[in-house]
Amino acid sequence: MIRNILGSLVALAGAASAVLSPFRDWYDGRAGQDYRVRDLFGGITATESGVLVSILLPFLFAALLVIAGVVLRSRLAVALAGLVVLGFTILWMVRQGQAAGSLTVGGDGAGLQVGVVNALAGGVLMLIGALLMRGRGRGPARAHARREREPVEPYAAPSADQVDTWPPTQEPGMSTHTSPWPEPEVDPYTGPDPHDPRTRSYPQAPPPQGGPGDPRDPVHPPRRPPEG
């Protein structure tokens, strides 16, 4: 915001300097408004010019561009206005040098005078103002549309100490994905169960009938196999 305001003020100051420059002397006591725009393309002549068809015309156009650029916060419009002012001023200097044989700078009223300086300074100030401006910011609608066009980034894998917080709801629970940790090992084999009759390989005293360790069914007691 501050840069836009500062750039706008600098550009407007440059536009004012450019518009006022044709009303001041440019060369040998001749004001800028006395030079016709057509003379810049066909050669400088001694013919007097009207105000609206003088070199003031492109400078007025540049000033309107600056105003439009400030209102719309368009850096391009402001920069284009500065190039117009500098371009026409340099073109005039080339044509004036061709007509006079050379360009001179003198303090006694001979040669280039303050009007040319004002025009050049105005063009430079416009370019500086365009550089200072930040241009138009992105409105809420444009920013929302830009976010919708951006690809959705996939969720990153959780860290090693947060494997049970996936997907990223940050809710505790079992992981829906394969855990990076190794699966727990089964308890190692420690031999047959001494209380399981199917795995006993040596005779043991049967537990007392009806006791807590009696494996026999009290309703259907087991029968001894026949001796062969």
Side-chain angles (χ1 to χ4, degrees):
M1 185 65 179
I2 301 299
R3 289 187 57 181
N4 279 332
I5 294 176
L6 181 59
S8 299
L9 293 177
V10 173
L12 290 174
S17 178
V19 170
L20 292 177
S21 65
F23 298 99
R24 311 192 71 174
D25 294 340
W26 278 48
Y27 198 82
D28 283 343
R30 188 178 181 182
Q33 62 180 349
D34 294 335
Y35 294 96
R36 297 181 300 177
V37 175
R38 59 184 298 182
D39 291 346
L40 302 181
F41 301 95
I44 301 296
T45 63
T47 304
E48 297 293 331
S49 173
V51 176
L52 296 180
V53 294
S54 67
I55 199 174
L56 176 64
L57 183 62
F59 290 175
L60 285 176
F61 173 74
L64 292 177
L65 271 181
V66 169
I67 294 175
V70 169
V71 173
L72 301 176
R73 288 184 291 180
S74 173
R75 302 175 61 186
L76 180 61
V78 176
L80 180 60
L83 293 177
V84 168
V85 173
L86 291 177
F88 275 91
T89 304
I90 294 174
L91 180 60
W92 173 88
M93 295 174 66
V94 172
R95 293 301 186 185
Q96 182 62 45
Q98 292 175 348
S102 63
L103 288 177
T104 59
V105 179
D108 55 352
L112 297 175
Q113 293 183 297
V114 66
V116 181
V117 177
N118 287 347
L120 293 175
V124 172
L125 287 176
M126 293 178 194
L127 293 179
I128 294 176
L131 293 176
L132 291 176
M133 294 174 63
R134 298 190 60 180
R136 299 184 63 179
R138 296 184 180 272
R142 295 179 63 187
H144 179 69
R146 182 170 177 266
R147 286 195 300 268
E148 288 183 349
R149 290 195 301 267
E150 292 178 350
V152 179
E153 292 291 338
Y155 291 111
S159 59
D161 58 344
Q162 296 179 349
V163 293
D164 288 337
T165 59
W166 182 269
T169 57
Q170 302 303 324
E171 296 179 0
M174 296 299 295
S175 173
T176 59
H177 294 260
T178 304
S179 173
W181 299 102
E183 297 183 0
E185 297 181 357
V186 182
D187 293 339
Y189 178 72
T190 58
D193 187 1
H195 300 289
D196 190 352
R198 294 173 300 177
T199 59
R200 278 201 308 246
S201 59
Y202 53 90
Q204 289 185 353
Q209 295 184 1
D214 189 1
R216 293 178 296 179
D217 186 358
V219 179
H220 304 284
R223 295 182 180 181
R224 184 183 298 274
E227 297 180 358

